[in-house]
């Protein structure tokens, strides 16, 4: 029965992934913004009004950041022809270099006699084709004249604009529909958090009520610590990366530095993801090879320092998960939910550990998950 229940739970998580992902993301935003709501409530405002004020400020900040990002992207699109021509030039040079290296390797490793035999085999079809062409003196049949406009009438139906828009939007309609619920879910979670918490605690009695209260507080604290710690570390990396890219003359260094800094925090694939944006930006303009190597070395050094020195102090001291559990969690949730599962794997596992640590019968499982 336990195996059947586990299989049913996994199937429910897989087929209902859009619902659960939306709910988890909303809960994470709620955990982050709840202290701000408590702070605004000190101004003698009710919880619903304070939640509305906090969400309005958060949406305005996100909008401002989006406008700044859009301006950088707009400037980047203006230079796309230059980038395309430069990338084509680099591709052609690389192809010529690979062909030259292949040819020189072939000449160095293959004996001369075999090379000559191969050249003769390649020339035989060409010689035979030339002989057949000399023997054939008959002129080629004239091609029929193409039909004129009077002969053929082509009727085309223009594609309605609404059909084109729907064709593109239908692929992401379900995702956009779920994301549209996030602001409303966050608002109701913040404005009704006291009511929901009291209602949940009233379902239990005595010691169980105490454990449930500690579990809810532990999950909120671990989630908040993980997200805010990663955000602070990502902002530090983004600032340091942007400064280094500016000194190295990388184009669009504010945009590239921000993207590289936050991508560096991706589990296991952070280093190649962090190197890719500045490398592509630097390759698209004439640069010395030493500049490219310096750029890669600086990005790799920032990534290593952040994960080995800063990450344990900023995030790891509050989220105590052992590396084996983290790896298994990343594999499981990425297989279940794809890329978004890779990002949510550690917060979900930390929340599960928070529950296990505060429930007496489940503490052995918390020790198993911990470091």
């Amino acid at each position: 029965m336990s195996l059947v229940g586990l299989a049913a739970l996994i199937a429910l998580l897989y087929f209902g992934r859009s619902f659960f992902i939306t709910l988890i993301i909303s809960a994470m935003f709620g955990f982050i913004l709840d202290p701000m709501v408590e702070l605004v409530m000190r101004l003698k405002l009710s919880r619903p009004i304070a939640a509305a004020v906090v969400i309005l400020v958060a949406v305005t900040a996100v909008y401002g950041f989006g406008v700044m990002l859009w301006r950088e992207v707009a400037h980047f699109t203006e230079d796309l022809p230059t980038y395309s021509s430069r990338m084509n030039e680099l591709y052609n040079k690389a192809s010529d270099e690979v062909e030259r290296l292949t040819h020189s390797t072939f000449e160095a490793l293959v004996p001369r006699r075999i090379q000559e035999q191969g050249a003769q085999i390649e020339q035989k079809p060409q010689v035979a084709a030339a002989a057949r062409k000399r023997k054939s003196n008959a002129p080629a049949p004239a091609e029929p004249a193409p039909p004129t406009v009077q002969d053929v009438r082509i009727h085309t139906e223009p594609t309605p604009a609404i059909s084109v828009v729907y064709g593109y939007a239908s692929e992401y309609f379900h995702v956009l529909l779920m994301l549209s619920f996030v602001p409303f879910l966050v608002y109701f979670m913040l404005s009704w958090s006291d009511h929901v918490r009291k209602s949940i605690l009233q379902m239990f009695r005595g010691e169980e009520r105490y454990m449930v209260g500690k579990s809810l507080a532990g999950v909120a604290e671990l989630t908040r610590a993980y997200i805010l710690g990663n955000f602070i570390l990502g902002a530090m990396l983004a600032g340091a990366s942007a400064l280094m890219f500016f000194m190295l003359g990388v184009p669009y260094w504010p945009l590239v530095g921000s993207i590289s800094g936050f991508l560096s925090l991706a589990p296991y694939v952070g280093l190649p993801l962090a190197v890719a944006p500045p490398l592509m930006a630097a390759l698209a303009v004439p640069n010395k090879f030493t500049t490219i190597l310096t750029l890669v070395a600086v990005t790799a050094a920032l990534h290593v320092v952040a994960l080995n020195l800063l990450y344990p102090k900023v995030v790891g001291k509050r989220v105590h998960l052992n590396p084996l559990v983290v790896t298994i969690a990343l594999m499981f949730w990425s297989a279940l939910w794809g890329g978004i599962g890779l990002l949510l794997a550690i917060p979900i596992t930390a929340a599960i550990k928070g529950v296990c640590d505060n429930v007496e019968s489940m503490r052995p499982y918390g020790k198993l998950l911990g470091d």
Side-chain angles (χ1 to χ4, degrees), residues 283-313:
L283 285 176
V285 295
N287 278 294
K288 296 182 180 179
F289 185 68
T290 54
T291 304
I292 303 298
L293 290 179
T294 305
L295 181 64
V296 174
V298 166
T299 307
L302 289 174
H303 174 81
V304 171
V305 170
L307 290 190
N308 291 277
L309 296 180
L310 299 179
Y311 192 89
K313 297 181 180 298

PDB file of all heavy atoms in Angstrom, residues 283-313:
ATOM      1  N   LEU A 283      33.076  37.419 -28.066  1.00  0.00           N
ATOM      2  CA  LEU A 283      33.459  36.823 -29.344  1.00  0.00           C
ATOM      3  C   LEU A 283      32.876  37.575 -30.527  1.00  0.00           C
ATOM      4  O   LEU A 283      33.404  37.494 -31.638  1.00  0.00           O
ATOM      5  CB  LEU A 283      32.995  35.362 -29.404  1.00  0.00           C
ATOM      6  CG  LEU A 283      33.789  34.346 -28.583  1.00  0.00           C
ATOM      7  CD1 LEU A 283      33.135  32.978 -28.678  1.00  0.00           C
ATOM      8  CD2 LEU A 283      35.233  34.278 -29.062  1.00  0.00           C
ATOM      9  N   ALA A 284      31.767  38.276 -30.303  1.00  0.00           N
ATOM     10  CA  ALA A 284      31.097  38.943 -31.403  1.00  0.00           C
ATOM     11  C   ALA A 284      31.790  40.215 -31.847  1.00  0.00           C
ATOM     12  O   ALA A 284      31.419  40.802 -32.856  1.00  0.00           O
ATOM     13  CB  ALA A 284      29.653  39.258 -31.023  1.00  0.00           C
ATOM     14  N   VAL A 285      32.795  40.681 -31.116  1.00  0.00           N
ATOM     15  CA  VAL A 285      33.551  41.871 -31.499  1.00  0.00           C
ATOM     16  C   VAL A 285      35.020  41.493 -31.553  1.00  0.00           C
ATOM     17  O   VAL A 285      35.453  40.535 -30.900  1.00  0.00           O
ATOM     18  CB  VAL A 285      33.332  43.021 -30.491  1.00  0.00           C
ATOM     19  CG1 VAL A 285      31.885  43.482 -30.516  1.00  0.00           C
ATOM     20  CG2 VAL A 285      33.714  42.589 -29.089  1.00  0.00           C
ATOM     21  N   PRO A 286      35.822  42.216 -32.346  1.00  0.00           N
ATOM     22  CA  PRO A 286      37.241  41.870 -32.421  1.00  0.00           C
ATOM     23  C   PRO A 286      37.928  41.971 -31.065  1.00  0.00           C
ATOM     24  O   PRO A 286      37.881  42.996 -30.393  1.00  0.00           O
ATOM     25  CB  PRO A 286      37.799  42.909 -33.405  1.00  0.00           C
ATOM     26  CG  PRO A 286      36.619  43.350 -34.200  1.00  0.00           C
ATOM     27  CD  PRO A 286      35.455  43.293 -33.273  1.00  0.00           C
ATOM     28  N   ASN A 287      38.519  40.886 -30.632  1.00  0.00           N
ATOM     29  CA  ASN A 287      39.224  40.830 -29.351  1.00  0.00           C
ATOM     30  C   ASN A 287      40.458  39.954 -29.493  1.00  0.00           C
ATOM     31  O   ASN A 287      40.506  39.067 -30.349  1.00  0.00           O
ATOM     32  CB  ASN A 287      38.325  40.259 -28.254  1.00  0.00           C
ATOM     33  CG  ASN A 287      37.401  41.304 -27.664  1.00  0.00           C
ATOM     34  OD1 ASN A 287      37.840  42.236 -27.027  1.00  0.00           O
ATOM     35  ND2 ASN A 287      36.106  41.147 -27.932  1.00  0.00           N
ATOM     36  N   LYS A 288      41.401  40.206 -28.635  1.00  0.00           N
ATOM     37  CA  LYS A 288      42.573  39.356 -28.597  1.00  0.00           C
ATOM     38  C   LYS A 288      42.240  38.040 -27.899  1.00  0.00           C
ATOM     39  O   LYS A 288      41.355  37.970 -27.059  1.00  0.00           O
ATOM     40  CB  LYS A 288      43.716  40.063 -27.867  1.00  0.00           C
ATOM     41  CG  LYS A 288      44.209  41.317 -28.574  1.00  0.00           C
ATOM     42  CD  LYS A 288      45.365  41.934 -27.804  1.00  0.00           C
ATOM     43  CE  LYS A 288      45.876  43.186 -28.507  1.00  0.00           C
ATOM     44  NZ  LYS A 288      46.992  43.811 -27.756  1.00  0.00           N
ATOM     45  N   PHE A 289      42.974  37.008 -28.267  1.00  0.00           N
ATOM     46  CA  PHE A 289      42.733  35.697 -27.663  1.00  0.00           C
ATOM     47  C   PHE A 289      43.007  35.727 -26.170  1.00  0.00           C
ATOM     48  O   PHE A 289      42.320  35.059 -25.388  1.00  0.00           O
ATOM     49  CB  PHE A 289      43.606  34.656 -28.356  1.00  0.00           C
ATOM     50  CG  PHE A 289      43.344  33.252 -27.901  1.00  0.00           C
ATOM     51  CD1 PHE A 289      42.150  32.627 -28.205  1.00  0.00           C
ATOM     52  CD2 PHE A 289      44.286  32.570 -27.144  1.00  0.00           C
ATOM     53  CE1 PHE A 289      41.898  31.342 -27.783  1.00  0.00           C
ATOM     54  CE2 PHE A 289      44.042  31.288 -26.717  1.00  0.00           C
ATOM     55  CZ  PHE A 289      42.848  30.668 -27.039  1.00  0.00           C
ATOM     56  N   THR A 290      43.982  36.535 -25.744  1.00  0.00           N
ATOM     57  CA  THR A 290      44.281  36.637 -24.313  1.00  0.00           C
ATOM     58  C   THR A 290      43.121  37.272 -23.544  1.00  0.00           C
ATOM     59  O   THR A 290      42.866  36.919 -22.388  1.00  0.00           O
ATOM     60  CB  THR A 290      45.555  37.465 -24.105  1.00  0.00           C
ATOM     61  OG1 THR A 290      45.412  38.739 -24.763  1.00  0.00           O
ATOM     62  CG2 THR A 290      46.763  36.750 -24.680  1.00  0.00           C
ATOM     63  N   THR A 291      42.405  38.194 -24.184  1.00  0.00           N
ATOM     64  CA  THR A 291      41.240  38.804 -23.534  1.00  0.00           C
ATOM     65  C   THR A 291      40.150  37.770 -23.292  1.00  0.00           C
ATOM     66  O   THR A 291      39.501  37.759 -22.237  1.00  0.00           O
ATOM     67  CB  THR A 291      40.696  39.951 -24.398  1.00  0.00           C
ATOM     68  OG1 THR A 291      41.743  40.892 -24.641  1.00  0.00           O
ATOM     69  CG2 THR A 291      39.540  40.637 -23.701  1.00  0.00           C
ATOM     70  N   ILE A 292      39.939  36.887 -24.271  1.00  0.00           N
ATOM     71  CA  ILE A 292      38.933  35.835 -24.132  1.00  0.00           C
ATOM     72  C   ILE A 292      39.315  34.897 -22.988  1.00  0.00           C
ATOM     73  O   ILE A 292      38.477  34.537 -22.151  1.00  0.00           O
ATOM     74  CB  ILE A 292      38.773  35.065 -25.445  1.00  0.00           C
ATOM     75  CG1 ILE A 292      38.402  36.019 -26.591  1.00  0.00           C
ATOM     76  CG2 ILE A 292      37.746  33.965 -25.302  1.00  0.00           C
ATOM     77  CD1 ILE A 292      37.102  36.726 -26.394  1.00  0.00           C
ATOM     78  N   LEU A 293      40.574  34.495 -22.936  1.00  0.00           N
ATOM     79  CA  LEU A 293      41.025  33.612 -21.860  1.00  0.00           C
ATOM     80  C   LEU A 293      40.884  34.286 -20.502  1.00  0.00           C
ATOM     81  O   LEU A 293      40.480  33.648 -19.521  1.00  0.00           O
ATOM     82  CB  LEU A 293      42.468  33.192 -22.103  1.00  0.00           C
ATOM     83  CG  LEU A 293      42.732  32.238 -23.275  1.00  0.00           C
ATOM     84  CD1 LEU A 293      44.215  31.941 -23.387  1.00  0.00           C
ATOM     85  CD2 LEU A 293      41.939  30.953 -23.103  1.00  0.00           C
ATOM     86  N   THR A 294      41.229  35.565 -20.426  1.00  0.00           N
ATOM     87  CA  THR A 294      41.083  36.297 -19.170  1.00  0.00           C
ATOM     88  C   THR A 294      39.629  36.366 -18.731  1.00  0.00           C
ATOM     89  O   THR A 294      39.308  36.211 -17.547  1.00  0.00           O
ATOM     90  CB  THR A 294      41.644  37.716 -19.320  1.00  0.00           C
ATOM     91  OG1 THR A 294      43.003  37.650 -19.773  1.00  0.00           O
ATOM     92  CG2 THR A 294      41.570  38.468 -18.012  1.00  0.00           C
ATOM     93  N   LEU A 295      38.730  36.570 -19.696  1.00  0.00           N
ATOM     94  CA  LEU A 295      37.309  36.645 -19.402  1.00  0.00           C
ATOM     95  C   LEU A 295      36.793  35.323 -18.820  1.00  0.00           C
ATOM     96  O   LEU A 295      36.083  35.299 -17.815  1.00  0.00           O
ATOM     97  CB  LEU A 295      36.542  37.009 -20.672  1.00  0.00           C
ATOM     98  CG  LEU A 295      35.034  37.167 -20.553  1.00  0.00           C
ATOM     99  CD1 LEU A 295      34.698  38.325 -19.635  1.00  0.00           C
ATOM    100  CD2 LEU A 295      34.420  37.381 -21.924  1.00  0.00           C
ATOM    101  N   VAL A 296      37.169  34.222 -19.462  1.00  0.00           N
ATOM    102  CA  VAL A 296      36.742  32.903 -18.977  1.00  0.00           C
ATOM    103  C   VAL A 296      37.332  32.631 -17.593  1.00  0.00           C
ATOM    104  O   VAL A 296      36.640  32.123 -16.691  1.00  0.00           O
ATOM    105  CB  VAL A 296      37.157  31.818 -19.980  1.00  0.00           C
ATOM    106  CG1 VAL A 296      36.859  30.426 -19.433  1.00  0.00           C
ATOM    107  CG2 VAL A 296      36.434  32.016 -21.311  1.00  0.00           C
ATOM    108  N   ALA A 297      38.611  32.966 -17.401  1.00  0.00           N
ATOM    109  CA  ALA A 297      39.260  32.721 -16.119  1.00  0.00           C
ATOM    110  C   ALA A 297      38.621  33.550 -15.006  1.00  0.00           C
ATOM    111  O   ALA A 297      38.413  33.046 -13.886  1.00  0.00           O
ATOM    112  CB  ALA A 297      40.746  33.035 -16.221  1.00  0.00           C
ATOM    113  N   VAL A 298      38.295  34.811 -15.279  1.00  0.00           N
ATOM    114  CA  VAL A 298      37.683  35.672 -14.262  1.00  0.00           C
ATOM    115  C   VAL A 298      36.299  35.157 -13.879  1.00  0.00           C
ATOM    116  O   VAL A 298      35.942  35.082 -12.699  1.00  0.00           O
ATOM    117  CB  VAL A 298      37.607  37.117 -14.786  1.00  0.00           C
ATOM    118  CG1 VAL A 298      36.688  37.961 -13.909  1.00  0.00           C
ATOM    119  CG2 VAL A 298      38.993  37.737 -14.817  1.00  0.00           C
ATOM    120  N   THR A 299      35.494  34.767 -14.885  1.00  0.00           N
ATOM    121  CA  THR A 299      34.155  34.244 -14.603  1.00  0.00           C
ATOM    122  C   THR A 299      34.231  32.955 -13.800  1.00  0.00           C
ATOM    123  O   THR A 299      33.470  32.753 -12.837  1.00  0.00           O
ATOM    124  CB  THR A 299      33.395  34.008 -15.913  1.00  0.00           C
ATOM    125  OG1 THR A 299      33.416  35.198 -16.703  1.00  0.00           O
ATOM    126  CG2 THR A 299      31.957  33.617 -15.646  1.00  0.00           C
ATOM    127  N   ALA A 300      35.135  32.072 -14.175  1.00  0.00           N
ATOM    128  CA  ALA A 300      35.292  30.810 -13.438  1.00  0.00           C
ATOM    129  C   ALA A 300      35.765  31.073 -12.007  1.00  0.00           C
ATOM    130  O   ALA A 300      35.300  30.420 -11.058  1.00  0.00           O
ATOM    131  CB  ALA A 300      36.271  29.901 -14.166  1.00  0.00           C
ATOM    132  N   ALA A 301      36.666  32.040 -11.822  1.00  0.00           N
ATOM    133  CA  ALA A 301      37.166  32.347 -10.479  1.00  0.00           C
ATOM    134  C   ALA A 301      36.051  32.911  -9.601  1.00  0.00           C
ATOM    135  O   ALA A 301      35.922  32.532  -8.420  1.00  0.00           O
ATOM    136  CB  ALA A 301      38.320  33.340 -10.572  1.00  0.00           C
ATOM    137  N   LEU A 302      35.223  33.795 -10.147  1.00  0.00           N
ATOM    138  CA  LEU A 302      34.102  34.326  -9.373  1.00  0.00           C
ATOM    139  C   LEU A 302      33.128  33.222  -8.982  1.00  0.00           C
ATOM    140  O   LEU A 302      32.602  33.194  -7.861  1.00  0.00           O
ATOM    141  CB  LEU A 302      33.378  35.407 -10.186  1.00  0.00           C
ATOM    142  CG  LEU A 302      34.115  36.734 -10.372  1.00  0.00           C
ATOM    143  CD1 LEU A 302      33.335  37.644 -11.305  1.00  0.00           C
ATOM    144  CD2 LEU A 302      34.327  37.421  -9.027  1.00  0.00           C
ATOM    145  N   HIS A 303      32.882  32.304  -9.905  1.00  0.00           N
ATOM    146  CA  HIS A 303      31.962  31.193  -9.629  1.00  0.00           C
ATOM    147  C   HIS A 303      32.514  30.297  -8.510  1.00  0.00           C
ATOM    148  O   HIS A 303      31.782  29.926  -7.581  1.00  0.00           O
ATOM    149  CB  HIS A 303      31.751  30.379 -10.901  1.00  0.00           C
ATOM    150  CG  HIS A 303      30.955  29.135 -10.708  1.00  0.00           C
ATOM    151  ND1 HIS A 303      29.570  29.133 -10.650  1.00  0.00           N
ATOM    152  CD2 HIS A 303      31.340  27.841 -10.545  1.00  0.00           C
ATOM    153  CE1 HIS A 303      29.148  27.898 -10.456  1.00  0.00           C
ATOM    154  NE2 HIS A 303      30.186  27.090 -10.400  1.00  0.00           N
ATOM    155  N   VAL A 304      33.785  29.966  -8.588  1.00  0.00           N
ATOM    156  CA  VAL A 304      34.387  29.074  -7.584  1.00  0.00           C
ATOM    157  C   VAL A 304      34.403  29.744  -6.217  1.00  0.00           C
ATOM    158  O   VAL A 304      34.080  29.122  -5.185  1.00  0.00           O
ATOM    159  CB  VAL A 304      35.806  28.675  -8.031  1.00  0.00           C
ATOM    160  CG1 VAL A 304      36.522  27.927  -6.913  1.00  0.00           C
ATOM    161  CG2 VAL A 304      35.743  27.808  -9.288  1.00  0.00           C
ATOM    162  N   VAL A 305      34.788  31.021  -6.166  1.00  0.00           N
ATOM    163  CA  VAL A 305      34.830  31.734  -4.888  1.00  0.00           C
ATOM    164  C   VAL A 305      33.434  31.832  -4.284  1.00  0.00           C
ATOM    165  O   VAL A 305      33.241  31.636  -3.075  1.00  0.00           O
ATOM    166  CB  VAL A 305      35.449  33.128  -5.082  1.00  0.00           C
ATOM    167  CG1 VAL A 305      35.267  33.973  -3.826  1.00  0.00           C
ATOM    168  CG2 VAL A 305      36.932  33.004  -5.420  1.00  0.00           C
ATOM    169  N   ALA A 306      32.434  32.118  -5.122  1.00  0.00           N
ATOM    170  CA  ALA A 306      31.069  32.272  -4.617  1.00  0.00           C
ATOM    171  C   ALA A 306      30.536  30.973  -4.035  1.00  0.00           C
ATOM    172  O   ALA A 306      29.942  30.965  -2.948  1.00  0.00           O
ATOM    173  CB  ALA A 306      30.160  32.771  -5.736  1.00  0.00           C
ATOM    174  N   LEU A 307      30.741  29.856  -4.732  1.00  0.00           N
ATOM    175  CA  LEU A 307      30.166  28.593  -4.277  1.00  0.00           C
ATOM    176  C   LEU A 307      30.939  27.969  -3.129  1.00  0.00           C
ATOM    177  O   LEU A 307      30.355  27.252  -2.308  1.00  0.00           O
ATOM    178  CB  LEU A 307      30.083  27.607  -5.446  1.00  0.00           C
ATOM    179  CG  LEU A 307      29.051  27.934  -6.527  1.00  0.00           C
ATOM    180  CD1 LEU A 307      28.914  26.769  -7.478  1.00  0.00           C
ATOM    181  CD2 LEU A 307      27.694  28.264  -5.936  1.00  0.00           C
ATOM    182  N   ASN A 308      32.227  28.202  -3.061  1.00  0.00           N
ATOM    183  CA  ASN A 308      33.035  27.546  -2.034  1.00  0.00           C
ATOM    184  C   ASN A 308      33.263  28.394  -0.790  1.00  0.00           C
ATOM    185  O   ASN A 308      33.474  27.840   0.297  1.00  0.00           O
ATOM    186  CB  ASN A 308      34.396  27.150  -2.615  1.00  0.00           C
ATOM    187  CG  ASN A 308      34.283  26.033  -3.632  1.00  0.00           C
ATOM    188  OD1 ASN A 308      34.225  24.859  -3.294  1.00  0.00           O
ATOM    189  ND2 ASN A 308      34.240  26.389  -4.906  1.00  0.00           N
ATOM    190  N   LEU A 309      33.199  29.720  -0.906  1.00  0.00           N
ATOM    191  CA  LEU A 309      33.450  30.584   0.237  1.00  0.00           C
ATOM    192  C   LEU A 309      32.202  31.333   0.705  1.00  0.00           C
ATOM    193  O   LEU A 309      31.894  31.367   1.898  1.00  0.00           O
ATOM    194  CB  LEU A 309      34.564  31.585  -0.101  1.00  0.00           C
ATOM    195  CG  LEU A 309      35.941  30.985  -0.390  1.00  0.00           C
ATOM    196  CD1 LEU A 309      36.933  32.095  -0.710  1.00  0.00           C
ATOM    197  CD2 LEU A 309      36.434  30.145   0.786  1.00  0.00           C
ATOM    198  N   LEU A 310      31.474  31.926  -0.257  1.00  0.00           N
ATOM    199  CA  LEU A 310      30.336  32.757   0.115  1.00  0.00           C
ATOM    200  C   LEU A 310      29.061  31.953   0.322  1.00  0.00           C
ATOM    201  O   LEU A 310      28.288  32.233   1.236  1.00  0.00           O
ATOM    202  CB  LEU A 310      30.101  33.833  -0.959  1.00  0.00           C
ATOM    203  CG  LEU A 310      31.255  34.808  -1.187  1.00  0.00           C
ATOM    204  CD1 LEU A 310      30.902  35.792  -2.288  1.00  0.00           C
ATOM    205  CD2 LEU A 310      31.592  35.538   0.097  1.00  0.00           C
ATOM    206  N   TYR A 311      28.819  30.951  -0.541  1.00  0.00           N
ATOM    207  CA  TYR A 311      27.575  30.197  -0.460  1.00  0.00           C
ATOM    208  C   TYR A 311      27.395  29.506   0.900  1.00  0.00           C
ATOM    209  O   TYR A 311      26.307  29.571   1.479  1.00  0.00           O
ATOM    210  CB  TYR A 311      27.509  29.177  -1.590  1.00  0.00           C
ATOM    211  CG  TYR A 311      26.155  28.544  -1.759  1.00  0.00           C
ATOM    212  CD1 TYR A 311      25.193  29.121  -2.587  1.00  0.00           C
ATOM    213  CD2 TYR A 311      25.827  27.374  -1.105  1.00  0.00           C
ATOM    214  CE1 TYR A 311      23.946  28.545  -2.748  1.00  0.00           C
ATOM    215  CE2 TYR A 311      24.575  26.791  -1.248  1.00  0.00           C
ATOM    216  CZ  TYR A 311      23.646  27.383  -2.076  1.00  0.00           C
ATOM    217  OH  TYR A 311      22.408  26.819  -2.222  1.00  0.00           O
ATOM    218  N   PRO A 312      28.431  28.843   1.448  1.00  0.00           N
ATOM    219  CA  PRO A 312      28.228  28.222   2.765  1.00  0.00           C
ATOM    220  C   PRO A 312      27.901  29.225   3.865  1.00  0.00           C
ATOM    221  O   PRO A 312      27.182  28.893   4.813  1.00  0.00           O
ATOM    222  CB  PRO A 312      29.573  27.527   3.040  1.00  0.00           C
ATOM    223  CG  PRO A 312      30.161  27.302   1.684  1.00  0.00           C
ATOM    224  CD  PRO A 312      29.751  28.498   0.882  1.00  0.00           C
ATOM    225  N   LYS A 313      28.419  30.457   3.770  1.00  0.00           N
ATOM    226  CA  LYS A 313      28.179  31.444   4.812  1.00  0.00           C
ATOM    227  C   LYS A 313      26.833  32.141   4.636  1.00  0.00           C
ATOM    228  O   LYS A 313      26.154  32.466   5.620  1.00  0.00           O
ATOM    229  CB  LYS A 313      29.301  32.491   4.814  1.00  0.00           C
ATOM    230  CG  LYS A 313      30.676  31.916   5.140  1.00  0.00           C
ATOM    231  CD  LYS A 313      31.729  32.996   5.153  1.00  0.00           C
ATOM    232  CE  LYS A 313      33.096  32.425   5.487  1.00  0.00           C
ATOM    233  NZ  LYS A 313      33.133  31.815   6.847  1.00  0.00           N
TER     234      LYS A 313
END
